[in-house]
Amino acid sequence: MNDAVHSGDNTLNVLLMVLLVAFALASWYFYATPMAGQSGADMATISGSPTPGSGESAIHPSP
């Protein structure tokens, strides 16, 4: 009886370690790899300078 309990504990420990490593790898992959579709479009939108005459006079009237 004791041998069966110990082998079940060992199997559970191995399964827990495998799940923990899989979660760590999935988290690393999610946060470490850049999202190509999102980062390119957002950076172009943020870094792009506004064109002259695009409504700036309506926002800041000249004296």
Side-chain angles (χ1 to χ4, degrees):
M1 179 78 182
N2 268 347
D3 291 337
V5 172
H6 286 298
S7 71
D9 284 347
N10 287 339
T11 304
L12 189 62
N13 286 340
V14 168
L15 180 64
L16 186 63
M17 291 303 292
V18 167
L19 289 174
L20 187 63
V21 168
F23 179 74
L25 285 175
S27 299
W28 171 81
Y29 180 77
F30 182 74
Y31 288 112
T33 56
M35 291 184 227
Q38 230 179 17
S39 64
D42 287 346
M43 291 312 250
T45 304
I46 292 171
S47 64
S49 59
T51 58
S54 63
E56 292 169 354
S57 60
I59 297 171
H60 303 288
S62 57

